[in-house]
Amino acid sequence: MGIALIVHGGAGAIASDRFASAQTGCREAALIGWHKLQEGHSALEAVEAAVRILEDNPNFNAGTGSCLTAEGNIEMDAGIMEGHTQRVGAVANVERIKNPISLARRVLESPHVLLVGRGAQIFAREQGIHLCRRQELLTEHQQANWQHAHAERAARLQQQHGTEPSYYRTELGSTSASATSNHLEDSDEKHGTVGAVALDSFGTLAAATSTGGIVYKYPGRIGDSPLVGAGFYADEQSAISCTGYGEDFMRLLIAKRAADFVARGMNAHAAAEAAIALLGTKATGTGGLIIVDHMGNLGFAWNSTHMAHAYITQDMPEVIAGV
Ligand code: ASP
């Protein structure tokens, strides 16, 4: 059995002028994780290190470069799991954290499984994790995405009711959140999470996922990424990280379903295909996932337009990246 690692940089429609940066970013992250495995570190260490690199890369929707909520805030989610111990750590709706995956890792080391919002922030402080400024996480690209989504919504409301949107202006002004919710539709362009799964030299598996969520998401909305079994999962036979329209991944527990396919005898590749086929038949949302199984086989599949990814196994001379 050999060591193996695969990362993703989000499912969705990636503009062709962003192909190169998406692949380079995934390749860099895969290499960092790979070096950890080669040095004899655990799969848990490797997936955390790979995801941190992706979080620090402003081209991905996680950590620096996270998308904005409808109010213009940055609320991030992340989860990490080790297969043989079934230890899980996750954080949701966290602000001002540069590397949410490392906060999730600290949760994994604690008696908790999932901490959200203010509590997660208090925990971060207790752990000596520095709270950054929102500005440090904000990119021009995501600001432009927000402006675009806001203008679209204004136009839609104008057309339907003849009114301007009167809420969602916090970072940018006022706030009376009206009960008429921002209709969270799936759109191929709104995705972009990051994740990694690995098998280490001890034969143990780990999975990690981190995200800013979906562009212009409702404040407080949490997707699949920090939910064990939905956006990530690991057991003794496989490790999975998902990306895509979180509401459908939550409804269908896609990560756990993929793990169950492996447990029933499928290899990683077949399990990835089967889980995405299930998503396609049971839901309208799109997305993708990556898997590594206990034999070191890798699998990935998506039904969105693209999914940035990169992988390497012991038999490969170098990392392969694609979109
Ligand atoms: N699954 C993430 C969420 O719904 C988004 C993504 O993967 O792009 O928050």
Side-chain angles (χ1 to χ4, degrees), residues 229-240:
F232 69 103
Y233 191 73
D235 58 21
E236 284 173 335
Q237 284 165 303
S238 64
I240 294 99

Side-chain angles (χ1 to χ4, degrees), residues 8 10-11 61 77 190-194 209-214 217 221-226 231 242-247 249-250:
H8 70 77
N61 174 17
D77 306 330
K190 291 188 181 170
H191 301 164
T193 289
V194 305
T209 305
S210 180
T211 190
I214 287 185
K217 67 186 180 182
R221 176 265 184 192
I222 290 168
D224 59 316
S225 309
C242 301
T243 170
Y245 183 56
E247 279 64 15
F249 280 75
M250 288 190 267

Side-chain angles (χ1 to χ4, degrees), residues 92-232:
N93 201 5
V94 292
E95 299 179 47
R96 299 177 52 205
I97 299 288
K98 198 149 186 312
N99 291 108
I101 200 63
S102 293
L103 183 56
R105 170 79 191 272
R106 300 290 179 94
V107 174
L108 176 148
E109 311 284 352
S110 81
H112 311 293
V113 165
L114 171 62
L115 292 176
V116 305
R118 201 175 71 86
Q121 214 112 341
I122 295 169
F123 180 77
R125 280 217 194 85
E126 279 173 11
Q127 295 286 317
I129 294 180
H130 151 84
L131 298 188
C132 66
R133 288 177 309 122
R134 170 181 171 274
Q135 245 45 34
E136 292 174 53
L137 304 172
L138 191 61
T139 58
E140 274 178 23
H141 176 68
Q142 290 296 2
Q143 257 172 315
N145 276 344
W146 186 91
Q147 296 290 358
H148 183 71
H150 194 63
E152 255 186 6
R153 179 168 186 277
R156 200 167 55 231
L157 283 182
Q158 184 77 272
Q159 214 178 26
Q160 287 168 348
H161 313 291
T163 52
E164 290 283 332
S166 63
Y167 76 135
Y168 290 159
R169 294 215 190 108
T170 323
E171 279 301 324
L172 326 146
S174 91
T175 80
S176 54
S178 119
T180 40
S181 98
N182 150 25
H183 186 54
L184 191 66
E185 287 159 351
D186 181 29
S187 145
D188 210 27
E189 277 133 52
K190 291 188 181 170
H191 301 164
T193 289
V194 305
V197 296
L199 171 71
D200 63 29
S201 53
F202 314 103
T204 67
L205 293 148
T209 305
S210 180
T211 190
I214 287 185
V215 173
Y216 211 74
K217 67 186 180 182
Y218 198 91
R221 176 265 184 192
I222 290 168
D224 59 316
S225 309
L227 300 184
V228 59
F232 69 103

Side-chain angles (χ1 to χ4, degrees), residues 39-113:
E39 286 161 10
H41 291 285
S42 66
L44 195 63
E45 289 288 332
V47 295
E48 182 189 353
V51 167
R52 278 180 69 97
I53 295 294
L54 291 162
E55 287 177 337
D56 288 343
N57 186 326
N59 293 316
F60 297 103
N61 174 17
T64 307
S66 286
C67 64
L68 308 185
T69 67
E71 286 184 330
N73 286 320
I74 293 178
E75 298 176 355
M76 299 164 290
D77 306 330
I80 188 164
M81 181 164 191
E82 186 174 57
H84 68 297
T85 57
Q86 296 276 280
R87 288 190 302 163
V88 182
V91 291
N93 201 5
V94 292
E95 299 179 47
R96 299 177 52 205
I97 299 288
K98 198 149 186 312
N99 291 108
I101 200 63
S102 293
L103 183 56
R105 170 79 191 272
R106 300 290 179 94
V107 174
L108 176 148
E109 311 284 352
S110 81
H112 311 293
V113 165

